Amino acid sequence: MQLRLPAVAVVVMCVCVFFLLPNAAVAHNITQILSKLPEFSTFNHYLTVTQLAPEINRKETITVCAVDNAGMADLLAKRLSIGAIRNVLSLHVLLDYFDAKKLHQITDGTAVAATMFQATGAAPGSFGFVNITDLKGGKVGFSPDDNNGVVSATFVKSIEAVPYNISVIQISSILPSPEAEAPAPEPSQMNLTALMSAHGCKVFAETLLANPAEQTFESNVESGLTVFCPGDDAMKSFLPKYRNLTAGGKQSLLEYHGMPIYESLAGLRSSNGVTNTLATDGAEKYDFTVQNDGTAVTIKTKIVTAKIINTLIDKQPLAIHELDKVLMPVELFKSALPPAPAPAPRAASPKAHNTPPSPSSPADSPADGPDGDAADQNSDGNGAVKYNAGRFGAVILSIWLVLSKL
């Protein structure tokens, strides 16, 4: 039976669209992008120190306005607290996509962009917005909304652009903002262990008080902290395992229950993915995955999945969420990993002893095996996605053969 031409055209279009789709979506990594350019090493360093980098990596459709080392030197000369530096740098993260082309094509010559500083709720009024103006002579100016319209910095160049995911651009200087530079709340204003003890996490709070990890939690409150405290029943049943850990293991386990950024429950619902913890340190990943199912939010490690059952406090810069289980990092509990399923037994041929070995099938060939397919799916590490050219070429050839017989 011969297909009609319109039907063939539909099939061709559907198949082409399917094979043109990326094999995998790859998230951006701001520190990786900037690490290639030593002139931005200070800016990159403070994105890590202030824990803005993980937040940027979880966001989509954003623009990072980076400044070079000389511009950062001017900021550091003000001797601001880490919390204030975090606020200033968050003013340089626009919650919209602006590459070089879009900057020079701004409608009516000006645009107002919300920033990560405004989104945290720490910026009063409209002080967390940035005005972008297309100036004469091909220049583009940037100014905080609280700068009386005075242009504070200009566009220098594009560093990285992955439409419409992330754009990293260089601007000439730090954007000034008295509101962003104002001192952040002091840690002493938040008594973490008292808050936890009064709301069903007393056992975890007492365990934390007896460990150096308590200082790690306290020192992160100013710049933003999210605590996941296991409820008393969950913590009591886990204590025998906790006591068997080394001193370093106990500290790491407790720090594993904190994130060095502020995340409300609503923020966790919209920020699924892998995230660092207070225990993360170089090669020691100590990360977990935030997932949601409707309104429920779970924290998943390779060993256990815990559910948020209550929020004790949610007030910038601190959020404390109660879990129904203790989080167990694979770095400390490798023996608790579920066993890998055993491979299915291979049925032997009745005449196997009389049959000479057959040539390797295409699937057994190293060049054509699964590793080759996996390599086709790798990204370039900065958000761009590669296509499987081999599959696409085979499809085009097949389509041509079909059409040639019509």
Side-chain angles (χ1 to χ4, degrees):
M1 180 179 178
Q2 196 172 32
L3 289 174
R4 293 180 181 177
L5 187 58
V8 173
V10 170
V11 172
V12 170
M13 289 178 62
C14 291
V15 174
C16 286
V17 168
F18 174 80
F19 280 94
L20 279 171
L21 289 174
N23 287 330
V26 181
H28 52 258
N29 187 317
I30 184 61
T31 54
Q32 206 172 73
I33 292 171
L34 292 174
S35 66
K36 298 177 292 185
L37 303 166
E39 64 266 34
F40 298 102
S41 59
T42 305
F43 185 86
N44 199 15
H45 170 72
Y46 277 93
L47 288 183
T48 301
V49 170
T50 60
Q51 293 298 327
L52 277 173
E55 290 193 54
I56 292 171
N57 292 341
R58 288 200 300 274
K59 298 288 185 183
E60 294 182 2
T61 316
I62 63 168
T63 301
V64 178
C65 302
V67 296
D68 61 16
N69 295 341
M72 284 298 295
D74 293 337
L75 174 64
L76 298 178
K78 297 181 178 181
R79 299 186 179 279
L80 304 176
S81 67
I82 289 296
I85 293 175
R86 173 188 168 88
N87 286 341
V88 171
L89 296 186
S90 66
L91 184 68
H92 292 68
V93 182
L94 314 181
L95 303 182
D96 199 351
Y97 180 86
F98 291 95
D99 57 14
K101 181 179 179 181
K102 185 176 178 180
L103 286 173
H104 289 97
Q105 295 178 346
I106 295 175
T107 305
D108 298 326
T110 185
V112 179
T115 68
M116 193 174 284
F117 179 46
Q118 186 272 335
T120 63
S126 61
F127 291 140
F129 291 86
V130 169
N131 294 318
I132 307 173
T133 306
D134 191 4
L135 305 172
K136 293 181 179 179
K139 292 186 176 182
V140 179
F142 294 79
S143 62
D145 208 46
D146 57 341
N147 203 37
N148 298 319
V150 177
V151 173
S152 309
T154 55
F155 171 72
V156 177
K157 66 181 180 182
S158 175
I159 298 172
E160 185 83 23
V162 184
Y164 287 87
N165 186 0
I166 183 172
S167 173
V168 184
I169 62 175
Q170 180 186 359
I171 60 175
S172 60
S173 59
I174 286 287
L175 300 176
S177 172
E179 285 71 25
E181 296 173 11
E186 293 298 324
S188 59
Q189 295 177 0
M190 300 284 186
N191 191 324
L192 296 178
T193 52
L195 287 168
M196 288 187 278
S197 295
H199 296 88
C201 293
K202 184 177 181 180
V203 179
F204 181 80
E206 291 175 347
T207 306
L208 187 61
L209 274 171
N211 192 281
E214 191 263 344
Q215 291 300 316
T216 307
F217 279 79
E218 291 287 352
S219 63
N220 276 272
V221 175
E222 180 180 0
S223 58
L225 176 68
T226 303
V227 182
F228 299 99
C229 63
D232 285 341
D233 291 340
M235 194 63 191
K236 285 177 183 177
S237 62
F238 181 79
L239 282 179
K241 294 178 182 177
Y242 175 80
R243 295 189 183 105
N244 286 332
L245 295 173
T246 63
K250 290 175 180 177
Q251 181 172 349
S252 294
L253 180 122
L254 293 173
E255 292 175 352
Y256 189 61
H257 287 74
M259 283 168 47
I261 57 174
Y262 162 77
E263 280 285 15
S264 65
L265 188 59
L268 292 170
R269 286 173 180 154
S270 61
S271 302
N272 288 347
V274 178
T275 185
N276 291 340
T277 67
L278 292 176
T280 301
D281 182 18
E284 299 294 334
K285 290 187 177 181
Y286 281 102
D287 55 23
F288 52 60
T289 302
V290 178
Q291 293 182 335
N292 70 67
D293 181 11
T295 58
V297 178
T298 58
I299 309 299
K300 185 177 182 181
T301 78
K302 292 182 179 179
I303 298 172
V304 67
T305 298
K307 182 179 179 182
I308 294 179
I309 57 176
N310 187 26
T311 296
L312 311 189
I313 183 173
D314 185 354
K315 184 178 181 181
Q316 176 80 13
L318 174 66
I320 304 179
H321 307 291
E322 181 182 353
L323 300 178
D324 63 347
K325 295 178 184 176
V326 175
L327 299 175
M328 297 172 64
V330 68
E331 288 82 357
L332 297 177
F333 298 97
K334 290 181 181 179
S335 60
L337 279 171
R346 197 170 181 178
S349 170
K351 297 182 180 180
H353 59 286
N354 293 326
T355 306
S358 60
S360 298
S361 66
D364 295 329
S365 171
D368 299 326
D371 289 343
D373 291 339
D376 287 340
Q377 297 176 13
N378 287 341
S379 74
D380 63 5
N382 288 335
V385 179
K386 295 184 179 180
Y387 297 94
N388 191 325
R391 287 197 309 161
F392 182 66
V395 171
I396 294 300
L397 179 60
S398 300
I399 292 170
W400 179 82
L401 290 173
V402 170
L403 292 177
S404 65
K405 294 180 180 180
L406 293 177

